[in-house]
């Protein structure tokens, strides 16, 4: 898994899965099967670009499972990051989907609609209490009843800012913005004081930004997107003002997390979202920035930060349902998640895990400060990206946002067009 992304799990929400609702057994909803019975037989477990860095970890997990259940055998396959969603789509269409699959919420939605994702609310409801409520809910699909994957690891992160740049712009380096109003005001001041040479932000607003701003993204039935309301238009209008003042980086229209990170490293941008993973990069690649790094909370109007989440899905068509459910739960239980979290900067989705000393006690380092703050915020965090929001929809929104920032359309026109495009794509999903 590429850790150059600004969060460990960000690659998950950037994936595209072609509609497969015509495939599988029963295209009218996720599958359910009896998970009781003896845990036995061979199952296949598929992960998403994890073998290179975590081969020993997963081999140990599999060995422990097979020791607990001697009549089982787990075959582990790992797929590369590139093309992962296409691989799942092809396997789903061809009837070769593995028994247990590493997924993100947007990947599980079409599988659930196709009847290929096991409904855990029916097959494994006894385990729900072991996970954070928000994490368990993250693999639910609007318009459908059920939960279609065990929650696995989570991630979120703070906003990093360059104290030196704040000070040069006449801003208090010890008082970073806490609200959107403060953020936009300070960004305009930064641009004015530096004659447009230093932008505060490097990315255009995405669907998660609209969510954090308090914009209702979708109706409760999951049949239509709604982010073109007055609040959504207000946010885009504010970004347009930033763009015109060069408070939003001029290259934001084509920015990637990697390019934005480089801008922050070189001092061309004053703030950038990130995770605990980034601190080591700052220390190694930009020591002067590291000495001046400021760390503050994500800005949100809802009181809930955004989280990224990974899951482990059970194939509803598996011939080894008891073994597949038992293994998916085993991989994501508290002991395994804590062990994984201590190897890499991710966070467990299991209830109570974030209360352990590893996530609550600081030792004076920035690394533990970020970890403790992130763990605290994750208890009530939300995955703002709708599970039905595909990569095509993200592209449609990004294109319309670009037109608004360039003045080719008004913010209202742009969001109306984006919502219409996304709703058409939603209907095509079935």
């Amino acid at each position: 898994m590429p850790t150059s992304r600004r969060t460990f799990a960000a690659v998950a929400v950037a994936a595209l899965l072609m509609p497969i609702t015509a495939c599988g057994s029963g295209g009218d909803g996720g599958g359910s099967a009896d998970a009781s019975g003896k845990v036995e037989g061979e199952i296949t477990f598929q992960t998403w670009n994890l073998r290179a860095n975590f081969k020993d970890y997963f081999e140990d997990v599999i060995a422990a499972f097979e020791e607990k259940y001697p009549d089982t055998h787990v075959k582990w396959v790992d797929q590369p990051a590139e093309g992962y969603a296409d691989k799942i789509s092809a396997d789903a269409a061809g009837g070769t989907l593995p028994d247990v699959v590493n997924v993100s919420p947007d990947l599980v939605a079409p599988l659930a609609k196709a009847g290929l994702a096991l409904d855990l609310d029916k097959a494994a409801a006894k385990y729900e209490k072991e996970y954070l409520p928000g994490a368990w809910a993250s693999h639910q699909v609007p318009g459908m009843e059920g939960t279609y994957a065990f929650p696995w690891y989570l991630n979120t992160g703070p906003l990093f800012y360059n104290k030196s740049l704040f000070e040069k712009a006449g801003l208090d380096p010890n008082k970073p913005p806490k609200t959107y109003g403060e953020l936009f005001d300070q960004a305009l001041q930064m641009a004015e004081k530096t004659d447009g040479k230093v932008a505060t932000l490097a990315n255009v607003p995405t669907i998660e930004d609209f969510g954090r701003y308090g914009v209702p993204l979708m109706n409760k039935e999951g049949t239509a997107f709604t982010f073109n309301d007055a609040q959504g238009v207000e946010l885009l209008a504010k970004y347009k003002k930033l763009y015109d003042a060069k408070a939003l980086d001029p290259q934001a229209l084509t920015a990637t997390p990697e390019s934005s990170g480089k801008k922050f490293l070189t001092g061309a941008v004053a703030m950038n979202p990130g995770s605990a993973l980034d601190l080591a990069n700052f220390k190694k690649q930009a020591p002067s920035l590291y000495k001046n790094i400021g760390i503050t909370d994500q800005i949100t109007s809802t009181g809930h930060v955004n989280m990224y989440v990974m899951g482990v899905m059970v194939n509803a068509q598996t011939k080894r349902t008891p073994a597949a459910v038992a293994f998916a739960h085993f991989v994501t239980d508290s002991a395994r998640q804590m062990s994984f979290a201590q190897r890499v900067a991710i966070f467990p989705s299991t209830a109570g895990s974030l209360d352990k000393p590893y996530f609550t006690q600081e030792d004076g380092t920035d690394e533990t400060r970020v970890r403790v703050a992130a763990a605290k915020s994750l208890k009530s965090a939300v995955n703002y990206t709708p599970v039905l929001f595909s990569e095509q929809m993200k592209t449609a929104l990004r294109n319309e946002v670009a037109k608004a920032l360039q003045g080719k359309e008004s913010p209202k026109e742009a969001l109306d067009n984006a919502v219409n495009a996304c709703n058409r794509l939603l209907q095509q999903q079935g």
Side-chain angles (χ1 to χ4, degrees):
M1 173 169 291
T3 54
S4 60
R5 305 289 297 204
R6 66 178 175 83
T7 64
F8 188 75
V11 67
V13 291
L16 164 66
L17 183 61
M18 298 301 291
I20 54 171
T21 51
C23 312
S25 58
D28 58 349
S32 62
D34 186 4
S36 62
K38 187 176 181 181
V39 176
E40 62 182 356
E42 179 174 319
I43 58 173
T44 300
F45 170 49
Q46 177 172 290
T47 52
W48 188 350
N49 196 29
L50 294 175
R51 184 183 295 272
N53 292 322
F54 306 107
K55 181 175 181 288
D56 292 344
Y57 171 79
F58 284 102
E59 288 179 346
D60 288 346
V61 168
I62 290 169
F65 179 78
E66 291 176 346
E67 182 178 358
K68 183 176 181 179
Y69 299 103
D71 294 325
T72 64
H73 176 68
V74 179
K75 178 184 177 183
W76 175 32
V77 296
D78 186 65
Q79 301 293 345
E82 186 175 353
Y84 185 75
D86 293 334
K87 179 71 168 68
I88 288 181
S89 182
D91 285 343
T96 55
L97 197 66
D99 302 283
V100 181
V101 186
N102 178 187
V103 292
S104 56
D106 59 321
L107 296 186
V108 87
L111 294 169
K113 287 187 174 185
L116 295 175
L118 188 67
D119 180 1
L120 300 181
D121 286 345
K122 294 179 180 177
K126 64 182 179 180
Y127 296 126
E128 177 180 355
K129 64 182 182 297
E130 296 180 20
Y131 301 88
L132 295 170
W136 184 263
S138 65
H139 290 88
Q140 296 170 353
V141 181
M144 295 179 65
E145 293 184 2
T147 300
Y148 296 98
F150 284 100
W152 195 8
Y153 56 85
L154 312 174
N155 217 329
T156 190
L159 272 173
F160 293 114
Y161 67 100
N162 188 321
K163 288 185 175 183
S164 177
L165 293 178
F166 268 61
E167 196 166 12
K168 289 177 182 177
L171 298 167
D172 189 336
N174 297 313
K175 292 183 179 179
K178 299 292 185 184
T179 66
Y180 279 102
E182 291 177 359
L183 172 64
F184 296 137
D185 288 345
Q186 291 187 25
L188 291 171
Q189 182 174 330
M190 177 78 69
E192 182 181 355
K193 292 287 186 179
T194 63
D195 294 324
K197 293 179 181 178
V198 178
T200 296
L201 301 176
N203 294 286
V204 300
T206 62
I207 195 69
E208 74 179 56
D209 292 306
F210 285 95
R212 283 188 306 191
Y213 197 67
V215 179
L217 304 178
M218 199 171 197
N219 64 16
K220 292 181 180 179
E221 297 76 25
T223 57
F225 292 98
T226 58
F227 53 84
N228 59 335
D229 76 341
Q231 208 166 357
V233 173
E234 176 184 279
L235 178 63
L236 186 51
K238 290 182 181 296
Y239 266 86
K240 165 65 171 163
K241 189 175 181 180
L242 296 184
Y243 185 75
D244 290 344
K246 295 187 178 179
L248 175 64
D249 186 73
Q251 296 177 337
L253 302 184
T254 57
T256 64
E258 289 82 4
S259 67
S260 300
K262 289 178 181 177
K263 291 250 181 183
F264 184 64
L265 282 175
T266 59
V269 171
M271 300 191 81
N272 202 51
S275 74
L277 285 170
D278 293 305
L279 286 170
N281 293 335
F282 298 156
K283 198 169 188 177
K284 181 179 180 180
Q285 299 176 22
S288 60
L289 170 63
Y290 185 76
K291 292 177 183 177
N292 289 288
I293 200 73
I295 306 170
T296 190
D297 295 332
Q298 285 183 30
I299 295 173
T300 168
S301 296
T302 64
H304 302 281
V305 303
N306 183 66
M307 73 172 173
Y308 299 98
V309 57
M310 275 287 188
V312 176
M313 185 201 86
V314 175
N315 183 352
Q317 295 185 330
T318 178
K319 296 178 181 178
R320 303 289 185 183
T321 301
V325 170
F327 183 73
H329 172 254
F330 191 82
V331 170
T332 62
D333 71 11
S334 178
R336 253 56 60 177
Q337 289 212 42
M338 277 300 299
S339 175
F340 199 29
Q342 289 172 331
R343 291 173 179 245
V344 67
I346 51 93
F347 299 85
S349 63
T350 39
S353 295
L354 298 178
D355 295 321
K356 295 182 183 296
Y358 184 73
F359 295 111
T360 59
Q361 295 180 3
E362 295 186 34
D363 61 9
T365 64
D366 287 333
E367 285 79 5
T368 58
R369 178 184 165 193
V370 171
R371 184 168 69 226
V372 169
K376 183 179 179 181
S377 68
L378 276 170
K379 292 180 182 180
S380 62
V382 173
N383 177 23
Y384 283 110
T385 303
V387 297
L388 298 175
F389 203 70
S390 68
E391 186 68 13
Q392 290 170 295
M393 296 172 188
K394 293 171 192 174
T395 299
L397 174 57
R398 188 180 184 93
N399 289 343
E400 293 299 330
V401 165
K403 291 176 184 177
L405 296 181
Q406 292 171 320
K408 296 178 180 178
E409 295 175 351
S410 72
K412 174 63 174 168
E413 290 170 335
L415 290 184
D416 284 346
N417 289 338
V419 163
N420 289 336
C422 291
N423 285 339
R424 285 194 298 271
L425 290 165
L426 184 65
Q427 291 173 358
Q428 293 172 16
Q429 288 181 359

